[in-house]
Every structure is written in structure tokens, then in C-alpha cells.
Amino acid sequence: MNQKIVDELKENGFVKNSENILTSDELHELKNCINKLFSDKSIDINTGSNALVIDSLAGIDPSLDFLLTKLITHENVRFVLNYVLGDNYKISQITVRRSIPGDTGLDLHQDAPGETGMILFLTDNLRSDGATAFLSKSHQLPRWSRKISWSRVSISSPFLSPLKGKIGDTGFFFNRTWHARLKNMSKKTHDVLLISFFPNSAIYESTYDEE
């Protein structure tokens, strides 16, 4: 991962990187861990965003923790995050999102100020069904542009650039960049790992304590 990735992120508000951070075996193990969680009836599954989401992945399973640690401490990931967030950045949440056939998507929105997101593809998604899609360069718009917040995805989708990729691909985005989740019109299920980061000085809510 090089300066070009950072430059594209700064320019467009989002970027995809196809250099694998985890090996094929590690991705396979990660997928198995995630599938077990979705099959575990004791795990709370959040459906508030019209998809299936498991919140607070860290601390549930030692094998999963090992893979998450390897992911977020990888030198390529740290290169990007150190550049845009500075040293001692914080993790506010680690979640997995499953878009199932018939997923109606999520309308155009922004997230918390100062937030930077990372996406890891856990399944191939080359058609963008259920994918996160961005209004390019919209992170440069002033905050008064919030008037378009939650514009229906059926209206905004023609103007958006979906983040498509293969299993193991990663993406980074500024959560200030207007984004949505497209409808899943396929017969396939698509999983992505989502991690939110904040600079050290930011005020934010976290699902984890300081340790």
C-alpha cells in the first residue's frame, strides 16, 4: 500500500485496495468464525439498518481476536491510518454486516465527525449488490449539505460509486463522505467486516474501554 492509496482517499473520500492483508487461510478461518457467530442463537443480531449486523466483534472468540489484531496492525493498514488520523488513533467499533437477498439498502447519509472507516470483503461482490456506495468528493462539501441526508437510495444510487471487490480486498473511507448501501438484487449473501477509527483527540462513543 503506497502514497497513491492515501492520495485517492483524500481526493475522493474513499478508496479500494486489492493487496491482500490476510492470507487465504486466514480469510477462510475468519469466514468460518463469522459464520459460526451468525449461527449462534445467543449472539445478538442488529437488524436496524435493514441488514444483519453483529456488533462488538472483539472479545467474543480468541481465534477471531487474533485475526482482527493481525488485520488492524498490518503495516499497510497502519500506513493509511497514521497518515490520515495521526498517531494513537482509536477504534470505536468492529462489526460484521451481512446483506441478504432482498436487502432494501440504506439511504444516503454521513456518520460521526472525524470518523474513518475500513472495509474488508469477506465474500466476492463484483456486482455491488448490498455494497456500500459513495458520492465521490462529497467529503469536501460544507456541513450545510446535510439537507440531503437520508436521500432515498433508489434516487441517489445512479450518482454513487459502489465499492466492489473480491474476498480479501479492503477499502478505506471518510465517514463524512456521503454514502449509502445499495439494494441486494442478487440471490447471494454478501459479508463485510467494518471497523471505525477516530483520531486521538476526537470525542466519540466506543463499545470498548480504554484497555
Side-chain angles (χ1 to χ4, degrees), residues 90 107 154 172:
K90 307 294 185 182
D107 291 339
S154 58
F172 296 90

Side-chain angles (χ1 to χ4, degrees), residues 7-13 110 135-145 174 176-178:
D7 292 342
E8 187 173 341
L9 172 61
K10 290 170 61 180
E11 174 71 15
N12 297 321
Q110 293 173 308
L135 184 61
S136 184
K137 305 182 189 299
S138 60
H139 64 301
Q140 302 180 39
L141 296 174
R143 278 286 171 181
W144 54 256
S145 60
F174 298 129
R176 177 170 176 161
T177 308
W178 290 92

Side-chain angles (χ1 to χ4, degrees), residues 12-63:
N12 297 321
F14 67 98
V15 65
K16 191 190 84 171
N17 175 58
S18 296
E19 296 179 44
N20 282 352
I21 303 299
L22 300 178
T23 66
S24 296
D25 288 342
E26 289 168 339
L27 286 168
H28 181 72
E29 184 179 358
L30 179 57
K31 284 186 63 177
N32 284 340
C33 289
I34 295 301
N35 287 332
K36 287 179 182 178
L37 291 179
F38 274 112
S39 299
D40 187 342
K41 294 185 179 180
S42 68
I43 299 294
D44 290 331
I45 297 179
N46 185 345
T47 59
S49 63
N50 304 322
L52 307 181
V53 177
I54 299 177
D55 299 309
S56 306
L57 286 183
I60 296 177
D61 179 270
S63 297

Side-chain angles (χ1 to χ4, degrees), residues 61-79:
D61 179 270
S63 297
L64 179 56
D65 285 347
F66 174 81
L67 294 169
L68 293 175
T69 300
K70 183 167 185 180
L71 176 65
I72 62 178
T73 59
H74 192 280
E75 61 180 355
N76 289 349
V77 174
R78 294 176 65 185
F79 176 84

